Amino acid sequence: MEVQAVEGARRWLAERGVVEAGEGWADVEESEGPLTANEVAHSWVSEVFTDEGLDVAGQLRLAFGLLDLLDDYWVTCEIRFADRGSRGPLPADVLWDGYRRRLEADRDAEAVTYSLWVDWFEDRDTAATAFAAVLGNDIDHIVAEGSDASLRRAGRVLACSGPVPWPVKQKAYDTAVRLPALHEPLFEGLLASYHDLYGDLEPTAALAVLAQLQLPADTPHLMELRSVLTAGHTNHYRAPHAWDDVAARAVDGGFRGAHSGRGRQAE
């Protein structure tokens, strides 16, 4: 959490009559009950990008401060709306620096990784730019001499990178495999690449990455993933019975196997 950004966001809300109250929030001009962080985000974050007292970069930095303060995914939605809408594009250096800093922070980053996964990475128009900005551009440096913070970022990005097109992420995967500390999130990324509704992988190349991972032999779903990739399957939803057939054979053989549950489900 960036203290200065949080304090700026807190002051900005207070100037509009929205203050912290116990474990929630209150609007001093309203008599209704306490507000949740999500309600505050829905009511106020869009106004950040119409604040004429700030330039666009300042508006974006304030929005990230509100993300730190509220820890609510909807803040990232408003940031994306502003970037992709008539007011955009937002300054790319500020936008992606904001994401990288929060991916590196030693605190929960679920709102940020979920934003990358379902918004930036699932959109083919933004996946390559977003992935390069948060990991691809500096994966070589991270693997060679990365700090704990940059390794934290790399692991978080790899784990939610399932929807990123394989040609976009393959170099990062091939590079990250050289560092055992990233093997677990790499496996999560491969698993999501197969199971996510919008997941993307190339079976032969993915199998080559999987073969280099140093994982416990009893890692859940390791055997199933290896089997479906060996068979040439690219995605769970293109061959819905393949994974279940492998899992059933595993159970018959004395092992447990099931759908990973990770990734967006078909609607």
Side-chain angles (χ1 to χ4, degrees):
M1 182 183 295
E2 300 193 3
V3 176
Q4 186 175 358
V6 168
E7 290 307 313
R10 184 178 284 114
R11 285 194 302 272
W12 187 86
L13 286 175
E15 289 168 359
R16 287 151 183 79
V18 180
V19 297
E20 290 171 289
E23 297 183 357
W25 295 83
D27 188 327
V28 296
E29 297 183 359
E30 299 289 341
S31 58
E32 297 182 1
L35 303 171
T36 65
N38 181 256
E39 289 171 327
V40 173
H42 273 82
S43 297
W44 290 102
V45 177
S46 64
E47 295 198 14
V48 168
F49 295 102
T50 61
D51 189 331
E52 297 181 354
L54 297 169
D55 61 15
V56 178
Q59 292 171 351
L60 181 52
R61 291 189 181 96
L62 174 58
F64 276 118
L66 287 167
L67 175 60
D68 292 338
L69 180 63
L70 300 173
D71 192 25
D72 190 89
Y73 162 68
W74 187 257
V75 181
T76 68
C77 293
E78 294 288 359
I79 291 173
R80 180 172 164 84
F81 295 157
D83 180 71
R84 305 293 288 169
S86 60
R87 291 168 290 186
L90 298 174
D93 56 340
V94 181
L95 174 63
W96 297 118
D97 182 63
Y99 268 85
R100 287 190 296 268
R101 285 176 178 270
R102 284 148 187 88
L103 288 164
E104 292 183 353
D106 188 14
R107 59 170 296 196
D108 182 80
E110 183 176 358
V112 177
T113 55
Y114 189 73
S115 168
L116 288 174
W117 171 33
V118 303
D119 295 327
W120 299 99
F121 289 170
E122 285 190 356
D123 186 340
R124 287 299 188 260
D125 290 336
T126 60
T129 297
F131 186 79
V134 296
L135 182 61
N137 288 342
D138 58 356
I139 184 62
D140 289 301
H141 173 74
I142 291 173
V143 170
E145 50 186 282
S147 63
D148 288 345
S150 62
L151 288 173
R152 189 179 300 120
R153 165 163 58 95
R156 286 168 166 171
V157 174
L158 289 169
C160 71
S161 64
V164 177
W166 185 259
V168 172
K169 65 190 176 188
Q170 182 174 2
K171 178 182 181 297
Y173 278 36
D174 289 342
T175 303
V177 81
R178 303 202 306 259
L179 194 63
L182 294 176
H183 284 192
E184 182 175 342
L186 252 177
F187 177 70
E188 292 181 35
L190 287 171
L191 203 58
S193 296
Y194 183 78
H195 277 300
D196 192 284
L197 179 61
Y198 301 101
D200 192 73
L201 57 74
E202 197 288 312
T204 301
L207 188 62
V209 172
L210 183 64
Q212 298 176 70
L213 300 184
Q214 299 175 18
L215 301 167
D218 60 350
T219 297
H221 318 301
L222 173 59
M223 183 275 295
E224 293 94 328
L225 183 60
R226 183 184 296 117
S227 296
V228 294
L229 293 179
T230 300
H233 295 296
T234 60
N235 184 276
H236 177 85
Y237 296 101
R238 296 190 187 99
H241 301 297
W243 183 275
D244 293 336
D245 289 346
V246 173
R249 292 198 300 273
V251 171
D252 291 341
F255 298 97
R256 295 185 61 85
H259 190 288
S260 73
R262 182 179 179 85
R264 181 171 293 202
Q265 305 297 306
E267 297 174 355

